[in-house]
């Protein structure tokens, strides 16, 4: 009985966030965009022409919260420094900044406003389907920078834990489904 439960747990772990996808060489998909820089003023402020240090935006605060978990190992259902999964990472980071999100990635994908990839800014969410058999979104990351036509996002992968990756990477590029803005 314990052996069967172990196999079932292993099966669900492999289908969870960041599961590996076989490379397909006959289909190439390339995303090359010039993402817009984050020009949103912080909430409660107005744009000014002063040369003072810019105030941190809500997106900066959420990204800072998520980056505190860099290097934390992957753990299915995890939401602490002892282990974190992809949706748990963003659930905690947004929650620490008073932005409620659902706990699982496919439900997060239904929140906010859907945006074009070339319009993404810091703090926007990127959603992925990493399983050939799965019919719904099963992985999520958050944009941390959009410089030099490259979109970098933080997420928790099963193999490397909480890391920052690039959407230019073939695996993430081919698994990308949509982007949304919740801030």
């Amino acid at each position: 009985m314990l052996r069967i439960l172990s196999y079932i747990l292993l099966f669900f772990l492999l289908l969870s966030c960041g599961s590996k996808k076989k490379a397909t060489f006959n289909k190439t998909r390339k995303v090359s965009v010039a993402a817009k820089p984050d020009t949103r003023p912080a909430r409660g402020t107005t744009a000014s022409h002063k040369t003072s240090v810019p105030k941190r935006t809500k997106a900066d605060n959420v990204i800072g919260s998520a980056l505190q978990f860099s290097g934390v190992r992957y753990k299915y259902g995890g939401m602490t420094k002892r282990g974190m999964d992809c949706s748990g990472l963003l659930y905690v980071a947004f929650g620490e900044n008073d932005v409620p999100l659902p706990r699982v990635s496919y439900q997060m994908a239904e929140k906010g406003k859907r945006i074009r990839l070339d319009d993404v800014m810091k703090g926007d969410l990127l959603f992925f389907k990493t399983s050939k058999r799965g019919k719904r979104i099963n992985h999520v990351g958050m944009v941390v920078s959009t410089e030099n036509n490259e979109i970098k996002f933080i997420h928790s992968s099963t193999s490397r834990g909480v890391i920052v990756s690039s959407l230019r990477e073939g695996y993430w590029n081919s698994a990308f489904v949509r982007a949304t803005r919740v801030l």
Side-chain angles (χ1 to χ4, degrees), residues 11 49-50 52 54 56 70 83 107 129 133 141 154 162 182:
F11 175 74
H49 300 293
K50 296 179 184 178
S52 64
R56 286 177 54 97
S70 290
Q107 291 176 342
K129 286 184 187 174
R133 285 171 268 151
I154 189 166
V162 178
V182 293

Side-chain angles (χ1 to χ4, degrees), residues 15-171:
L15 290 178
S16 66
C17 294
S19 62
K20 293 295 177 190
K21 179 177 173 182
K22 291 183 182 178
T24 56
F25 297 103
N26 59 351
K27 287 185 177 179
T28 55
R29 180 177 167 202
K30 189 172 187 175
V31 177
S32 56
V33 296
K36 293 181 180 179
D38 190 357
T39 57
R40 296 177 284 194
R43 280 201 176 156
T45 64
T46 58
S48 69
H49 300 293
K50 296 179 184 178
T51 58
S52 64
V53 177
K55 290 188 177 184
R56 286 177 54 97
T57 64
K58 185 78 129 175
D60 291 325
N61 294 334
V62 174
I63 291 167
S65 294
L67 288 172
Q68 290 179 359
F69 294 98
S70 290
V72 170
R73 72 181 182 91
Y74 178 88
K75 181 180 179 187
Y76 180 75
M79 296 191 318
T80 67
K81 289 215 177 219
R82 294 184 68 199
M84 190 68 72
D85 70 8
C86 63
S87 56
L89 171 67
L90 299 183
Y91 178 82
V92 170
F94 278 85
E96 286 179 356
N97 291 279
D98 301 319
V99 180
L101 281 179
R103 173 60 182 87
V104 293
S105 56
Y106 70 91
Q107 291 176 342
M108 283 181 189
E110 302 303 318
K111 298 295 180 188
K113 178 185 174 193
R114 195 168 182 169
I115 55 174
R116 295 178 344 162
L117 192 56
D118 57 353
D119 292 333
V120 298
M121 294 189 286
K122 295 188 308 183
D124 291 340
L125 300 179
L126 304 177
F127 295 95
F128 305 88
K129 286 184 187 174
T130 61
S131 172
K132 282 186 178 183
R133 285 171 268 151
K135 294 185 174 151
R136 65 179 168 190
I137 288 167
N138 65 345
H139 191 72
V140 61
M142 177 178 51
V143 176
V144 295
S145 72
T146 57
E147 297 175 359
N148 301 323
N149 294 332
E150 183 174 20
I151 299 170
K152 292 191 178 181
F153 62 100
I154 189 166
H155 62 114
S156 183
S157 74
T158 56
S159 60
R160 297 176 59 202
V162 178
I163 58 170
V164 175
S165 297
S166 172
L167 199 55
R168 284 186 182 172
E169 296 172 31
Y171 178 75

